[in-house]
Amino acid sequence: MKNVKVLGTGCANCRNTLKLIEEVAAARGVAIELEKVEDLPSIMKYRVMSTPGVVIDGQVVHAGGVPDRTKVESWL
Amino acid sequence: MSVASALVQPAERRALGFTLAFLAAWFALYASLTPIADGLVGLLSLERGSHFAESVHFFIFDTPKVLLLLTLIVFLMGVIQTFFSPERTRALLAGKREGVGNAMAASLGIVTPFCSCSAVPLFMGFLMAGVPMGVTFSFLISAPMVNEVALGLLFAMFGWKVAALYVGLGLTVAIFAGWVIGRLRLEHWLEDWVRDMVQADGVDAPEIPEGRSWAARLAAGRHHVRDIVGKVWPYILAGIAIGAGIHGYVPQDFLASIMGRDAWWAVPLAVLIGVPMYSNAAGVIPVVEALLAKGAALGTVLAFMMSVIALSLPEFIILRKVLKLKLIAVFAAVVSSGILLVGYVFNWIL
């Protein structure tokens, strides 16, 4: 099972990203472990400068803005 | 990829065709604004010269004009921003000395895509890559203050001279304030965990964004319009409606005595009121226009607008996570002084 983390301090874009990933995972029937990381020091450990960032199995795959749906689909 | 060779791709041709059609429609609409507004007011059979008719004409004429100009400028900015990214800006600024660094940071602040909720991660990312703190502040001040919405609206309502002046003054404040903060050597007023992290190690090799096709850049411009204009248009309508009301009903020069050029205390008062206020440029500018029309001085009004957009209580609360209270106080004080100065100089030279 993939571990997906959404990094962000809680702005609208971060919530939308979380929702989009949930939707895509549900639509494709992929089981994922979705986490939200809001704590700043933890976000900075991933060296992400623009939020929301997305981390899959410890790997930063996206930073800054809500990702495209096709991009999310390619991750899952 | 050159523009010419890019056009061979069908996707590129479609994107270009769409953009040209959009621009043609834009100019056609813009050229027919006055006849449409006159016609509509005529249809309502309102007598020109009455308070109500003046307000209605102002609203009908200004709303589409402002929205059109804003759309165009936001689109252009969306395309320009594809050439920049926070990562690239950081790479450009890393290791830059104060002075030149402050000027570069303030300029890059205008064109780097930046969301206010990224302010803190960005601040940290810059420091960790070795961008000096004062230079980082220059970026952080100019990015929200000199934004495309402020620019577009000022251009739409007061013409390019005022818009250009605003950019110049915004940059001046950002460069000056960042430079002063840098010179004060206040790194010990960063929160402890921030300092530890900055000292711990540098940053990974900066990522430079991959080259994008023109179709993608133009698409980014369209997305930008949808995001920004889609979000701010209600504020603009409300602002113009308020402006229209003031336009028709408040007597000319009503504000000249309290917000005019001769009232020395008007500028500090405007900044004092503006700093804690939190609004985007869209909500503020139409009110600004109405104030100006009634005799308030331009420097006073621009100082008010800058302090509303550049400094706000919610921003201080976010920054509190990385800055000690003393540093936030210095930040607010230095930026307000810069804005104050700009307001006075403006009132004095115009």
Side-chain angles (χ1 to χ4, degrees):
Chain A
M1 189 162 65
K2 278 193 169 142
N3 173 283
V4 182
K5 292 189 182 75
V6 175
L7 317 175
T9 43
C11 58
N13 280 345
C14 310
R15 286 195 298 274
N16 290 339
T17 305
L18 201 75
K19 219 168 66 192
L20 180 67
I21 295 174
E22 257 172 2
E23 269 174 34
V24 171
R28 314 194 113 205
V30 184
I32 54 166
E33 186 190 357
L34 194 57
E35 267 180 76
K36 184 147 184 12
V37 182
E38 294 192 345
D39 165 54
L40 266 175
S42 318
I43 294 178
M44 290 320 298
K45 280 206 193 89
Y46 291 99
R47 309 218 177 278
V48 164
M49 265 210 312
S50 346
T51 53
V54 179
V55 177
I56 296 180
D57 293 334
Q59 198 80 38
V60 178
V61 293
H62 174 84
V66 180
D68 289 334
R69 180 174 275 270
T70 47
K71 212 170 163 190
V72 177
E73 281 167 351
S74 73
W75 297 333
L76 301 178
Chain B
M1 189 161 39
S2 76
V3 175
S5 73
L7 292 179
V8 180
Q9 313 277 335
E12 301 279 333
R13 265 207 307 266
R14 260 204 312 279
L16 193 75
F18 174 88
T19 307
L20 286 178
F22 162 76
L23 288 177
W26 190 93
F27 279 109
L29 255 174
Y30 193 77
S32 49
L33 276 183
T34 309
I36 292 178
D38 285 346
L40 271 173
V41 172
L43 271 181
L44 295 169
S45 60
L46 290 167
E47 204 177 315
R48 285 306 299 272
S50 74
H51 286 330
F52 186 66
E54 283 308 305
S55 291
V56 169
H57 188 271
F58 180 81
F59 189 77
I60 294 178
F61 180 71
D62 259 46
T63 310
K65 180 180 124 193
V66 168
L67 287 177
L68 274 174
L69 279 167
L70 186 67
T71 304
L72 187 66
I73 288 177
V74 169
F75 175 75
L76 290 177
M77 196 57 114
V79 175
I80 292 172
Q81 283 183 349
T82 60
F83 292 92
F84 298 88
S85 73
E87 288 76 17
R88 187 175 202 177
T89 293
R90 177 174 65 178
L92 287 171
L93 291 177
K96 281 284 173 310
R97 265 192 281 152
E98 283 159 347
V100 183
N102 293 103
M104 272 181 72
S107 316
L108 286 166
I110 304 177
V111 290
T112 306
F114 169 79
C115 141
S116 61
C117 50
S118 293
V120 164
L122 200 113
F123 182 83
M124 300 268 325
F126 274 33
L127 290 185
M128 284 159 77
V131 180
M133 191 170 87
V135 175
T136 306
F137 267 109
S138 281
F139 180 91
L140 223 56
I141 296 164
S142 113
M145 185 154 64
V146 189
N147 66 69
E148 63 267 38
V149 176
L151 211 61
L153 291 175
L154 283 175
F155 181 72
M157 301 183 136
F158 310 115
W160 67 270
K161 276 186 195 152
V162 174
L165 222 55
Y166 184 79
V167 173
L169 295 174
L171 284 175
T172 309
V173 170
I175 293 168
F176 158 82
W179 184 78
V180 169
I181 293 172
R183 292 312 301 226
L184 291 174
R185 306 254 166 265
L186 301 174
E187 279 77 0
H188 52 287
W189 283 346
L190 290 171
E191 278 295 330
D192 297 338
W193 71 269
V194 175
R195 235 168 346 141
D196 294 343
M197 214 157 179
V198 170
Q199 277 162 3
D201 58 318
V203 80
D204 312 332
E207 327 143 31
I208 304 291
E210 68 274 32
R212 292 211 226 176
S213 66
W214 274 96
R217 293 188 198 283
L218 295 172
R222 287 200 301 275
H223 284 294
H224 204 53
V225 168
R226 207 180 50 203
D227 283 355
I228 303 279
V229 181
K231 203 157 51 189
V232 301
W233 71 266
Y235 296 96
I236 295 179
L237 284 195
I240 296 175
I242 294 171
I246 295 181
H247 212 80
Y249 289 97
V250 179
Q252 200 75 37
D253 293 334
F254 171 75
L255 292 169
S257 56
I258 31 175
M259 288 182 82
R261 200 205 289 227
D262 300 326
W264 66 268
W265 40 268
V267 181
L269 189 70
V271 173
L272 218 61
I273 298 173
V275 170
M277 264 178 72
Y278 179 56
S279 165
N280 49 26
V284 158
I285 292 189
V287 180
V288 161
E289 181 186 27
L291 291 178
L292 277 180
K294 297 304 169 190
L298 188 57
T300 309
V301 171
L302 283 188
F304 172 70
M305 184 179 138
M306 281 186 173
S307 53
V308 170
I309 317 180
L311 297 168
S312 71
L313 225 45
E315 191 197 8
F316 296 155
I317 292 168
I318 294 175
L319 285 176
R320 180 68 192 85
K321 290 179 189 163
V322 284
L323 310 181
K324 291 187 175 153
L325 207 54
K326 285 180 195 158
L327 186 47
I328 294 184
V330 171
F331 168 64
V334 171
V335 177
S336 326
S337 316
I339 295 174
L340 210 64
L341 219 61
V342 156
Y344 274 125
V345 169
F346 227 78
N347 281 350
W348 180 63
I349 57 169
L350 285 179

